[in-house]
Amino acid sequence: MTLAQDAKSILDSLGVDPALYTGGTLTKISPMTGEEIAALPENTAEDTAAAVARARAAFKEWRMVPAPKRGELVRLLGEELRTHKEALGRMVSIEAGKIPSEGLGEVQEMIDICDFATGLSRQLYGLTIATERPGHRMMEQWHPLGVVGIISAFNFPVAVWSWNAALALVCGNPVIWKPSEKSPLTALASMAILQKALDRFGDAPEGLAQLLIGGADVGNALVEDPDVALVSATGSTRMGRIVGPKVAERFGRCILELGGNNAGIVCPSADLDMTLRAVAFGAMGTAGQRCTSQRRLFVHADVYDDLVPRLVKAYESVSVGNPLEANHLVGPLIDKDAFDGMEKALSDAKAVGGTVHGGGRVDTGAESAYYARPALVEMPEQSGPMLHETFAPILYVTKYTDFDAAIEAQNAVGAGLSSCIFTLNVRETEQFLSAAGSDCGIANVNIGTSGAEIGGAFGGEKETGGGRESGSDAWKGYMRRATNTVNYSSQLPLAQGVVFDI
Ligand code: UN1
């Protein structure tokens, strides 16, 4: 069976209309083999305006549905995802090039956020606040915000949508999704799964959850539409620099989840066996195409000569190839541009004195598929391409002797998503986690930078955009807060002791 047939049988099993992925202008290539697996009709900017109008109408109804009932829809979505986990996980592999366990893991992440959001639907708590005025009560309420636009990237083609959609729906908002042009089929599959949940739910308003397939014009139309209350965008920092100011200009709200240049510090006391495994997964897993991928490593001089040669060995022995055909751990890069970007970063690294282990194309016989051997680059100091995110499996390693300087170096890049430390020393651990430690949204101890679980807030600082999604109180980003002061007395005392007698 070709991958095109494989994809079709998955989409058929979910009840996706073939007209949605055949005969159109957006061609989808599987990175596994380079073969064309679909050609999707595309939406236009006008379609976007119509979708927003439908969503506005849906909002008026959905915001009045009690939150625990809204949670029921998301609970059903979680059930449907459990039923269709294998199919959707395989679609993620075919479309994004993930190894099977990561494709399934991504669907598990969707199930987890549905469970989280369902519980949350009974916990959208506001505070009650002590008031200085007698006979008064002060409280806050969280109300639905409005239409939520979700712009997602190819590398987590479905989980990131679900983080946003599950929370937004529970919070009383309709959602409009513009997936990456590189991952439209998993979006069709996810929407078909959501439709099953909607059918079982019964009376959700039409236009509550919509999908727009298209390019930058569609994304731009969402970003500029004043009726889109929140734009949640995941992608490059370059994309965020375009989206952020446009949404700010119309005083809309943004959740930005942009690039990462995630570092780890390996201290003298580190458990090196554990460090080796954690770094191998963080740096080579998903072919280095997670926003949380481990990209930099600062290794103490005392353990450098022990750890780094072992890491180099792991880089040499890791198996790269089509993970749907054999048990490979590293699948393909998404396309030729990604491979070219990796080549360029490696040649830039050499130009500033880096020693490159690995890298280069792995020939699988598929001419238009781009498999790369992961690269470990020993750098004399942090410079050149090490300062920027390259969305490919490159790990830059430098030696350090002074712990404070290592923390400073880890923070000395634009991005601020994820970070980690490997140590058994409590002083180093706590310093790393303190206000003077890692400046990232995620700081881990004896765990790599990637693979965060649902429950914690996900996102980062600086050029990562500052947004938080998924767990903790990220739901507040999808609601508006109203502070209410109620006077149940017969007097009208003014705050701050102001007197205004008429
Ligand atoms: C992303 O790469 O955009 O923490 C998200 C992780 C995953 C999510 C990554 N749970 O690596």
Side-chain angles (χ1 to χ4, degrees), residues 78-102:
E79 274 191 9
E80 293 297 334
L81 285 165
R82 282 176 169 87
T83 304
H84 300 288
K85 182 175 176 182
E86 288 287 330
L88 186 57
R90 187 165 177 89
M91 196 69 238
V92 170
S93 289
I94 294 171
E95 182 160 84
K98 294 192 183 190
I99 65 173
S101 83
E102 290 196 57

PDB file of all heavy atoms in Angstrom, residues 78-102:
ATOM      1  N   GLY A  78     -12.475  13.650  24.096  1.00  0.00           N
ATOM      2  CA  GLY A  78     -11.444  12.771  24.670  1.00  0.00           C
ATOM      3  C   GLY A  78     -11.774  11.302  24.424  1.00  0.00           C
ATOM      4  O   GLY A  78     -10.900  10.498  24.096  1.00  0.00           O
ATOM      5  N   GLU A  79     -13.063  10.949  24.544  1.00  0.00           N
ATOM      6  CA  GLU A  79     -13.477   9.553  24.292  1.00  0.00           C
ATOM      7  C   GLU A  79     -13.243   9.165  22.837  1.00  0.00           C
ATOM      8  O   GLU A  79     -12.729   8.094  22.532  1.00  0.00           O
ATOM      9  CB  GLU A  79     -14.971   9.385  24.607  1.00  0.00           C
ATOM     10  CG  GLU A  79     -15.236   9.081  26.050  1.00  0.00           C
ATOM     11  CD  GLU A  79     -16.694   8.660  26.303  1.00  0.00           C
ATOM     12  OE1 GLU A  79     -17.469   8.445  25.344  1.00  0.00           O
ATOM     13  OE2 GLU A  79     -17.033   8.566  27.473  1.00  0.00           O
ATOM     14  N   GLU A  80     -13.641  10.063  21.931  1.00  0.00           N
ATOM     15  CA  GLU A  80     -13.460   9.768  20.492  1.00  0.00           C
ATOM     16  C   GLU A  80     -11.969   9.657  20.147  1.00  0.00           C
ATOM     17  O   GLU A  80     -11.566   8.842  19.322  1.00  0.00           O
ATOM     18  CB  GLU A  80     -14.124  10.859  19.637  1.00  0.00           C
ATOM     19  CG  GLU A  80     -15.647  10.885  19.740  1.00  0.00           C
ATOM     20  CD  GLU A  80     -16.297   9.600  19.226  1.00  0.00           C
ATOM     21  OE1 GLU A  80     -15.702   8.908  18.382  1.00  0.00           O
ATOM     22  OE2 GLU A  80     -17.418   9.286  19.688  1.00  0.00           O
ATOM     23  N   LEU A  81     -11.161  10.487  20.779  1.00  0.00           N
ATOM     24  CA  LEU A  81      -9.715  10.417  20.522  1.00  0.00           C
ATOM     25  C   LEU A  81      -9.142   9.087  21.008  1.00  0.00           C
ATOM     26  O   LEU A  81      -8.261   8.503  20.375  1.00  0.00           O
ATOM     27  CB  LEU A  81      -8.998  11.591  21.194  1.00  0.00           C
ATOM     28  CG  LEU A  81      -9.170  12.935  20.476  1.00  0.00           C
ATOM     29  CD1 LEU A  81      -8.751  14.092  21.393  1.00  0.00           C
ATOM     30  CD2 LEU A  81      -8.357  12.982  19.174  1.00  0.00           C
ATOM     31  N   ARG A  82      -9.673   8.600  22.127  1.00  0.00           N
ATOM     32  CA  ARG A  82      -9.229   7.281  22.605  1.00  0.00           C
ATOM     33  C   ARG A  82      -9.584   6.214  21.573  1.00  0.00           C
ATOM     34  O   ARG A  82      -8.776   5.342  21.258  1.00  0.00           O
ATOM     35  CB  ARG A  82      -9.884   6.954  23.948  1.00  0.00           C
ATOM     36  CG  ARG A  82      -9.235   7.669  25.120  1.00  0.00           C
ATOM     37  CD  ARG A  82     -10.001   7.387  26.422  1.00  0.00           C
ATOM     38  NE  ARG A  82      -9.267   7.843  27.590  1.00  0.00           N
ATOM     39  CZ  ARG A  82      -9.342   9.075  28.085  1.00  0.00           C
ATOM     40  NH1 ARG A  82     -10.110   9.985  27.525  1.00  0.00           N
ATOM     41  NH2 ARG A  82      -8.624   9.413  29.144  1.00  0.00           N
ATOM     42  N   THR A  83     -10.807   6.305  21.037  1.00  0.00           N
ATOM     43  CA  THR A  83     -11.250   5.313  20.054  1.00  0.00           C
ATOM     44  C   THR A  83     -10.393   5.364  18.791  1.00  0.00           C
ATOM     45  O   THR A  83     -10.092   4.335  18.195  1.00  0.00           O
ATOM     46  CB  THR A  83     -12.734   5.577  19.670  1.00  0.00           C
ATOM     47  OG1 THR A  83     -13.498   5.556  20.864  1.00  0.00           O
ATOM     48  CG2 THR A  83     -13.260   4.552  18.697  1.00  0.00           C
ATOM     49  N   HIS A  84     -10.013   6.571  18.373  1.00  0.00           N
ATOM     50  CA  HIS A  84      -9.333   6.723  17.079  1.00  0.00           C
ATOM     51  C   HIS A  84      -7.847   7.037  17.233  1.00  0.00           C
ATOM     52  O   HIS A  84      -7.224   7.566  16.316  1.00  0.00           O
ATOM     53  CB  HIS A  84     -10.037   7.812  16.262  1.00  0.00           C
ATOM     54  CG  HIS A  84     -11.477   7.496  16.000  1.00  0.00           C
ATOM     55  ND1 HIS A  84     -11.858   6.515  15.111  1.00  0.00           N
ATOM     56  CD2 HIS A  84     -12.620   7.976  16.544  1.00  0.00           C
ATOM     57  CE1 HIS A  84     -13.180   6.427  15.105  1.00  0.00           C
ATOM     58  NE2 HIS A  84     -13.670   7.304  15.972  1.00  0.00           N
ATOM     59  N   LYS A  85      -7.296   6.677  18.393  1.00  0.00           N
ATOM     60  CA  LYS A  85      -5.889   7.019  18.669  1.00  0.00           C
ATOM     61  C   LYS A  85      -4.933   6.426  17.628  1.00  0.00           C
ATOM     62  O   LYS A  85      -4.048   7.116  17.118  1.00  0.00           O
ATOM     63  CB  LYS A  85      -5.527   6.526  20.076  1.00  0.00           C
ATOM     64  CG  LYS A  85      -4.112   6.881  20.488  1.00  0.00           C
ATOM     65  CD  LYS A  85      -3.836   6.488  21.937  1.00  0.00           C
ATOM     66  CE  LYS A  85      -2.375   6.759  22.277  1.00  0.00           C
ATOM     67  NZ  LYS A  85      -2.027   6.367  23.633  1.00  0.00           N
ATOM     68  N   GLU A  86      -5.120   5.149  17.314  1.00  0.00           N
ATOM     69  CA  GLU A  86      -4.223   4.482  16.353  1.00  0.00           C
ATOM     70  C   GLU A  86      -4.256   5.188  15.002  1.00  0.00           C
ATOM     71  O   GLU A  86      -3.216   5.461  14.396  1.00  0.00           O
ATOM     72  CB  GLU A  86      -4.660   3.016  16.149  1.00  0.00           C
ATOM     73  CG  GLU A  86      -4.376   2.115  17.302  1.00  0.00           C
ATOM     74  CD  GLU A  86      -2.885   1.790  17.452  1.00  0.00           C
ATOM     75  OE1 GLU A  86      -2.190   1.761  16.421  1.00  0.00           O
ATOM     76  OE2 GLU A  86      -2.442   1.596  18.599  1.00  0.00           O
ATOM     77  N   ALA A  87      -5.475   5.457  14.525  1.00  0.00           N
ATOM     78  CA  ALA A  87      -5.635   6.049  13.186  1.00  0.00           C
ATOM     79  C   ALA A  87      -5.011   7.440  13.140  1.00  0.00           C
ATOM     80  O   ALA A  87      -4.235   7.762  12.226  1.00  0.00           O
ATOM     81  CB  ALA A  87      -7.118   6.110  12.825  1.00  0.00           C
ATOM     82  N   LEU A  88      -5.317   8.263  14.129  1.00  0.00           N
ATOM     83  CA  LEU A  88      -4.798   9.632  14.104  1.00  0.00           C
ATOM     84  C   LEU A  88      -3.280   9.634  14.334  1.00  0.00           C
ATOM     85  O   LEU A  88      -2.553  10.405  13.693  1.00  0.00           O
ATOM     86  CB  LEU A  88      -5.517  10.496  15.158  1.00  0.00           C
ATOM     87  CG  LEU A  88      -5.163  11.984  15.122  1.00  0.00           C
ATOM     88  CD1 LEU A  88      -5.434  12.616  13.748  1.00  0.00           C
ATOM     89  CD2 LEU A  88      -5.944  12.757  16.195  1.00  0.00           C
ATOM     90  N   GLY A  89      -2.817   8.762  15.214  1.00  0.00           N
ATOM     91  CA  GLY A  89      -1.373   8.676  15.462  1.00  0.00           C
ATOM     92  C   GLY A  89      -0.623   8.311  14.190  1.00  0.00           C
ATOM     93  O   GLY A  89       0.437   8.866  13.879  1.00  0.00           O
ATOM     94  N   ARG A  90      -1.200   7.377  13.424  1.00  0.00           N
ATOM     95  CA  ARG A  90      -0.541   6.982  12.171  1.00  0.00           C
ATOM     96  C   ARG A  90      -0.567   8.130  11.156  1.00  0.00           C
ATOM     97  O   ARG A  90       0.379   8.365  10.423  1.00  0.00           O
ATOM     98  CB  ARG A  90      -1.220   5.736  11.596  1.00  0.00           C
ATOM     99  CG  ARG A  90      -0.460   5.185  10.400  1.00  0.00           C
ATOM    100  CD  ARG A  90      -0.855   3.784  10.025  1.00  0.00           C
ATOM    101  NE  ARG A  90      -0.120   3.372   8.816  1.00  0.00           N
ATOM    102  CZ  ARG A  90       1.062   2.791   8.835  1.00  0.00           C
ATOM    103  NH1 ARG A  90       1.661   2.550   9.975  1.00  0.00           N
ATOM    104  NH2 ARG A  90       1.676   2.465   7.711  1.00  0.00           N
ATOM    105  N   MET A  91      -1.687   8.852  11.161  1.00  0.00           N
ATOM    106  CA  MET A  91      -1.788  10.013  10.251  1.00  0.00           C
ATOM    107  C   MET A  91      -0.716  11.054  10.602  1.00  0.00           C
ATOM    108  O   MET A  91      -0.118  11.670   9.714  1.00  0.00           O
ATOM    109  CB  MET A  91      -3.195  10.611  10.391  1.00  0.00           C
ATOM    110  CG  MET A  91      -3.615  11.538   9.291  1.00  0.00           C
ATOM    111  SD  MET A  91      -3.896  10.728   7.715  1.00  0.00           S
ATOM    112  CE  MET A  91      -2.738  11.637   6.747  1.00  0.00           C
ATOM    113  N   VAL A  92      -0.472  11.239  11.897  1.00  0.00           N
ATOM    114  CA  VAL A  92       0.589  12.175  12.324  1.00  0.00           C
ATOM    115  C   VAL A  92       1.939  11.692  11.786  1.00  0.00           C
ATOM    116  O   VAL A  92       2.749  12.489  11.283  1.00  0.00           O
ATOM    117  CB  VAL A  92       0.637  12.299  13.872  1.00  0.00           C
ATOM    118  CG1 VAL A  92       1.886  13.064  14.319  1.00  0.00           C
ATOM    119  CG2 VAL A  92      -0.615  12.994  14.397  1.00  0.00           C
ATOM    120  N   SER A  93       2.177  10.393  11.867  1.00  0.00           N
ATOM    121  CA  SER A  93       3.439   9.857  11.356  1.00  0.00           C
ATOM    122  C   SER A  93       3.562  10.086   9.853  1.00  0.00           C
ATOM    123  O   SER A  93       4.593  10.531   9.357  1.00  0.00           O
ATOM    124  CB  SER A  93       3.552   8.358  11.655  1.00  0.00           C
ATOM    125  OG  SER A  93       3.758   8.153  13.030  1.00  0.00           O
ATOM    126  N   ILE A  94       2.496   9.757   9.126  1.00  0.00           N
ATOM    127  CA  ILE A  94       2.540   9.900   7.665  1.00  0.00           C
ATOM    128  C   ILE A  94       2.752  11.359   7.282  1.00  0.00           C
ATOM    129  O   ILE A  94       3.532  11.683   6.390  1.00  0.00           O
ATOM    130  CB  ILE A  94       1.228   9.370   7.024  1.00  0.00           C
ATOM    131  CG1 ILE A  94       1.119   7.858   7.227  1.00  0.00           C
ATOM    132  CG2 ILE A  94       1.156   9.732   5.542  1.00  0.00           C
ATOM    133  CD1 ILE A  94      -0.234   7.284   6.821  1.00  0.00           C
ATOM    134  N   GLU A  95       2.072  12.253   7.996  1.00  0.00           N
ATOM    135  CA  GLU A  95       2.090  13.653   7.582  1.00  0.00           C
ATOM    136  C   GLU A  95       3.288  14.440   8.111  1.00  0.00           C
ATOM    137  O   GLU A  95       3.857  15.279   7.416  1.00  0.00           O
ATOM    138  CB  GLU A  95       0.798  14.342   8.037  1.00  0.00           C
ATOM    139  CG  GLU A  95       0.724  15.774   7.598  1.00  0.00           C
ATOM    140  CD  GLU A  95      -0.684  16.307   7.611  1.00  0.00           C
ATOM    141  OE1 GLU A  95      -1.160  16.739   8.671  1.00  0.00           O
ATOM    142  OE2 GLU A  95      -1.333  16.268   6.554  1.00  0.00           O
ATOM    143  N   ALA A  96       3.677  14.176   9.356  1.00  0.00           N
ATOM    144  CA  ALA A  96       4.746  14.976   9.972  1.00  0.00           C
ATOM    145  C   ALA A  96       6.067  14.214  10.066  1.00  0.00           C
ATOM    146  O   ALA A  96       7.088  14.788  10.417  1.00  0.00           O
ATOM    147  CB  ALA A  96       4.307  15.449  11.353  1.00  0.00           C
ATOM    148  N   GLY A  97       6.045  12.906   9.784  1.00  0.00           N
ATOM    149  CA  GLY A  97       7.283  12.129   9.783  1.00  0.00           C
ATOM    150  C   GLY A  97       7.688  11.608  11.147  1.00  0.00           C
ATOM    151  O   GLY A  97       8.829  11.189  11.336  1.00  0.00           O
ATOM    152  N   LYS A  98       6.760  11.597  12.110  1.00  0.00           N
ATOM    153  CA  LYS A  98       7.138  11.143  13.455  1.00  0.00           C
ATOM    154  C   LYS A  98       7.221   9.626  13.537  1.00  0.00           C
ATOM    155  O   LYS A  98       6.469   8.919  12.851  1.00  0.00           O
ATOM    156  CB  LYS A  98       6.113  11.634  14.488  1.00  0.00           C
ATOM    157  CG  LYS A  98       6.114  13.137  14.630  1.00  0.00           C
ATOM    158  CD  LYS A  98       5.326  13.584  15.841  1.00  0.00           C
ATOM    159  CE  LYS A  98       5.308  15.098  15.879  1.00  0.00           C
ATOM    160  NZ  LYS A  98       4.783  15.639  17.122  1.00  0.00           N
ATOM    161  N   ILE A  99       8.072   9.137  14.427  1.00  0.00           N
ATOM    162  CA  ILE A  99       8.103   7.696  14.665  1.00  0.00           C
ATOM    163  C   ILE A  99       6.770   7.303  15.323  1.00  0.00           C
ATOM    164  O   ILE A  99       6.123   8.138  15.957  1.00  0.00           O
ATOM    165  CB  ILE A  99       9.317   7.271  15.534  1.00  0.00           C
ATOM    166  CG1 ILE A  99       9.236   7.852  16.949  1.00  0.00           C
ATOM    167  CG2 ILE A  99      10.627   7.686  14.871  1.00  0.00           C
ATOM    168  CD1 ILE A  99      10.329   7.319  17.885  1.00  0.00           C
ATOM    169  N   PRO A 100       6.325   6.044  15.160  1.00  0.00           N
ATOM    170  CA  PRO A 100       4.986   5.674  15.642  1.00  0.00           C
ATOM    171  C   PRO A 100       4.728   6.027  17.099  1.00  0.00           C
ATOM    172  O   PRO A 100       3.651   6.537  17.432  1.00  0.00           O
ATOM    173  CB  PRO A 100       4.940   4.162  15.404  1.00  0.00           C
ATOM    174  CG  PRO A 100       5.813   3.967  14.206  1.00  0.00           C
ATOM    175  CD  PRO A 100       6.948   4.960  14.371  1.00  0.00           C
ATOM    176  N   SER A 101       5.697   5.811  17.983  1.00  0.00           N
ATOM    177  CA  SER A 101       5.397   6.078  19.402  1.00  0.00           C
ATOM    178  C   SER A 101       5.213   7.570  19.644  1.00  0.00           C
ATOM    179  O   SER A 101       4.461   7.977  20.529  1.00  0.00           O
ATOM    180  CB  SER A 101       6.457   5.484  20.324  1.00  0.00           C
ATOM    181  OG  SER A 101       7.556   6.339  20.427  1.00  0.00           O
ATOM    182  N   GLU A 102       5.881   8.395  18.854  1.00  0.00           N
ATOM    183  CA  GLU A 102       5.677   9.840  19.008  1.00  0.00           C
ATOM    184  C   GLU A 102       4.363  10.296  18.367  1.00  0.00           C
ATOM    185  O   GLU A 102       3.717  11.229  18.858  1.00  0.00           O
ATOM    186  CB  GLU A 102       6.856  10.610  18.424  1.00  0.00           C
ATOM    187  CG  GLU A 102       8.122  10.438  19.251  1.00  0.00           C
ATOM    188  CD  GLU A 102       9.172  11.488  18.917  1.00  0.00           C
ATOM    189  OE1 GLU A 102       8.879  12.683  19.017  1.00  0.00           O
ATOM    190  OE2 GLU A 102      10.275  11.094  18.522  1.00  0.00           O
TER     191      GLU A 102
END
